Amino acid sequence: MELREPKRKRVGNHIKPQQPFPILIESESGIPADSDLWPVYIGNFTGDCVIICNPEEMKSLYTMGFFGKGSLSRGYPSFGLIKKGIPPIIKERQWQRRKSWIDKMKKNLSDTFKQVNDITNTSGDIYEGEKSGEQIKLGTNDVSPMDVDSTISESCVVKECDVQNSDSDVKDSDIPDSDAHPDNLKDMKVRDCEVTEFDFTDKVLVLADSDDDDIEKVLRDPQPHIEDEKIKTVVETLNLTLEEAFFLSYALGCLQVIDLSGQTMSLKKMWHTFCQIKPDFIESYVTYHHFRAKGWVVKSGFKFGGNFLLYKQGPPFFHASYVVLVERVDSQLNRYNDSLTWTKLHGLNRLAENSGKDIITCQVVFPDSLAPEDLMSPKSLAKFQVNELLTKRWISSQERVEKEFS
């Protein structure tokens, strides 16, 4: 049976092919692998997934291996980015909602600062001592100085920086006028750097709402205006599935996961927590690890009725070649449940054919010698066996034609 040739996408040049994993690969980067240079990404466990908040880490994890998905995007986390010199575009009602959120955030921050100032001001108040009956005043001036070792005090001396005449090279003509029009920024020079375009950082382009009754009026005059968004109220994150997060931590050793209490999760704790949240996590992760080790880019297959989708190089370059169904079986290949019926398999096969894909049934074999307590640790991963079954619909006329020409 011939394997399906991956179908290349017509578009997708916005992301260039990079190395397959977000770690140091000597054959790809030319840099020898070293523990001191090994990248470590920080993720936060939210209860059902692991999120990455740092923009640089989000970019590295997605472009090098296509791990995760943007929380506000279809794939690559591109929400709110400046594209082709144009700031993010939102509707008027969205901007009004964001303004209300900004006002609430400012109010909460001011209340917090006020509470801190009140606590600071009352730190020098007079308290009555219950033991002696005397009044004790707690003030900053009454605290006795600490004895500091001489070697430490010498190392803490702040040296004076040589900043003499640091502003002497800046001329008055080099400083742009604050009332200058943005169109005249092209002619300005700050020192030796030419400003060639308007800086749209922290800016949004607001258009009129398009769901009004008079849609033609909105199209003729969308009423565009630029607004400042100094405080970001809508921030995109990169969401990793449980399988992706554990693969990055266990197989690649480049992800550090923080739990809900702010503590770093060990591999054993991650394994135990993920198994509690997702009952089929073991067979799901074994399948994910199996195909990742084969060089496939593994993504969620829920929209095609399966567990995973297999891509060559990544979703921007090729369409998915296979839909993966995960089954848990014993050493005699008996299913633990009857969730995969012939009716369901027939429907999935038709759906896969219409979308140009094949179905792979991945059987994860649980050995009989594996005790229940062994499943509570990732050390048991080496004991599992994986069987692949390629499923295709039998067409009698096609078989007759093949026999005639064979």
Side-chain angles (χ1 to χ4, degrees):
M1 184 180 294
E2 295 182 0
L3 298 179
R4 183 178 294 273
E5 182 69 21
K7 186 179 179 181
R8 184 179 290 274
K9 289 185 177 181
R10 297 180 180 178
V11 294
N13 296 327
H14 60 286
I15 298 179
K16 301 300 181 183
Q18 298 190 35
Q19 62 182 36
F21 295 121
I23 56 175
L24 285 176
I25 303 177
E26 186 174 355
S27 59
E28 296 284 341
S29 62
I31 302 175
D34 190 358
S35 58
D36 295 334
L37 301 176
W38 199 262
V40 177
Y41 307 96
I42 305 298
N44 295 280
F45 178 62
T46 61
D48 58 355
C49 68
V50 176
I51 63 172
I52 308 295
C53 301
N54 186 289
E56 293 298 326
E57 295 183 357
M58 290 165 56
K59 182 179 180 181
S60 299
L61 288 173
Y62 190 85
T63 56
M64 293 186 286
F66 299 97
F67 292 92
K69 173 192 172 298
S71 59
L72 301 174
S73 306
R74 294 184 60 184
Y76 180 78
S78 58
F79 180 83
L81 299 181
I82 299 176
K83 301 175 183 178
K84 298 181 179 180
I86 302 175
I89 302 175
I90 61 175
K91 299 298 180 64
E92 183 65 35
R93 62 176 177 272
Q94 294 175 307
W95 172 241
Q96 295 301 328
R97 191 182 300 118
R98 292 190 186 186
K99 283 176 63 178
S100 65
W101 291 342
I102 292 174
D103 294 338
K104 289 180 181 179
M105 292 176 68
K106 287 181 177 179
K107 185 177 182 303
N108 293 336
L109 287 174
S110 63
D111 294 342
T112 303
F113 290 144
K114 185 178 179 181
Q115 293 177 3
V116 173
N117 290 333
D118 293 342
I119 295 173
T120 305
N121 294 332
T122 56
S123 62
D125 292 346
I126 299 175
Y127 294 92
E128 293 184 1
E130 297 180 358
K131 210 169 189 181
S132 60
E134 298 177 353
Q135 290 184 339
I136 304 173
K137 185 175 181 180
L138 300 178
T140 54
N141 296 331
D142 299 327
V143 179
S144 59
M146 297 177 62
D147 294 330
V148 182
D149 187 78
S150 59
T151 57
I152 299 178
S153 60
E154 291 177 1
S155 62
C156 297
V157 175
V158 179
K159 295 183 179 180
E160 206 170 13
C161 297
D162 185 14
V163 291
Q164 296 179 357
N165 301 325
S166 60
D167 295 330
S168 59
D169 298 334
V170 182
K171 301 178 181 179
D172 294 338
S173 59
D174 293 335
I175 303 177
D177 188 6
S178 58
D179 299 330
H181 194 272
D183 294 339
N184 299 329
L185 288 176
K186 293 182 180 180
D187 301 331
M188 295 181 181
K189 290 186 178 181
V190 181
R191 298 203 175 191
D192 294 331
C193 300
E194 294 186 0
V195 180
T196 57
E197 60 181 5
F198 187 69
D199 185 12
F200 284 120
T201 307
D202 300 329
K203 303 256 193 283
V204 291
L205 176 60
V206 183
L207 303 180
D209 295 332
S210 58
D211 54 356
D212 297 337
D213 295 334
D214 193 357
I215 186 65
E216 293 184 359
K217 179 182 177 181
V218 177
L219 293 176
R220 287 195 302 269
D221 184 18
Q223 302 174 7
H225 54 97
I226 298 292
E227 297 288 350
D228 261 331
E229 192 183 17
K230 295 296 184 182
I231 301 177
K232 294 294 183 182
T233 57
V234 182
V235 181
E236 185 172 26
T237 59
L238 184 72
N239 294 358
L240 301 174
T241 63
L242 301 181
E243 293 83 6
E244 290 174 329
F246 195 80
F247 181 82
L248 290 169
S249 298
Y250 172 77
L252 301 183
C254 64
L255 178 66
Q256 188 177 10
V257 181
I258 310 298
D259 62 8
L260 296 174
S261 63
Q263 303 296 322
T264 303
M265 300 179 69
S266 62
L267 287 176
K268 190 173 182 179
K269 185 178 180 181
M270 288 175 61
W271 178 268
H272 183 70
T273 304
F274 293 172
C275 288
Q276 283 185 329
I277 296 173
K278 190 174 182 179
D280 60 343
F281 173 75
I282 296 179
E283 54 265 34
S284 182
Y285 176 74
V286 170
T287 304
Y288 182 90
H289 192 122
H290 171 75
F291 286 110
R292 272 288 186 177
K294 284 192 165 187
W296 291 100
V297 173
V298 187
K299 305 297 290 184
S300 174
F302 288 155
K303 62 181 178 181
F304 289 100
N307 297 91
F308 297 110
L309 293 176
L310 302 184
Y311 291 88
K312 177 183 178 181
Q313 291 188 3
F317 313 113
F318 288 89
H319 291 280
S321 302
Y322 299 100
V323 180
V324 179
L325 304 177
V326 180
E327 276 192 325
R328 176 177 177 175
V329 298
D330 58 15
S331 58
Q332 304 300 323
L333 301 184
N334 298 319
R335 296 189 181 96
Y336 277 77
N337 53 57
D338 297 328
S339 59
L340 186 61
T341 61
W342 285 110
T343 304
K344 181 179 179 181
L345 183 60
H346 182 69
L348 291 175
N349 193 30
R350 280 301 184 101
L351 176 61
E353 280 188 352
N354 292 336
S355 57
K357 299 170 179 56
D358 287 336
I359 291 180
I360 292 180
T361 303
C362 186
Q363 295 180 335
V364 180
V365 181
F366 279 62
D368 297 334
S369 60
L370 202 61
E373 55 270 14
D374 295 335
L375 298 177
M376 303 306 295
S377 173
K379 294 181 180 179
S380 60
L381 286 172
K383 300 180 181 180
F384 293 100
Q385 182 182 348
V386 177
N387 298 330
E388 298 178 19
L389 300 177
L390 181 61
T391 306
K392 284 191 175 183
R393 185 165 62 95
W394 176 66
I395 305 175
S396 58
S397 59
Q398 183 178 353
E399 185 179 4
R400 286 196 297 268
V401 171
E402 291 177 355
K403 287 183 177 180
E404 289 177 1
F405 286 94
S406 61

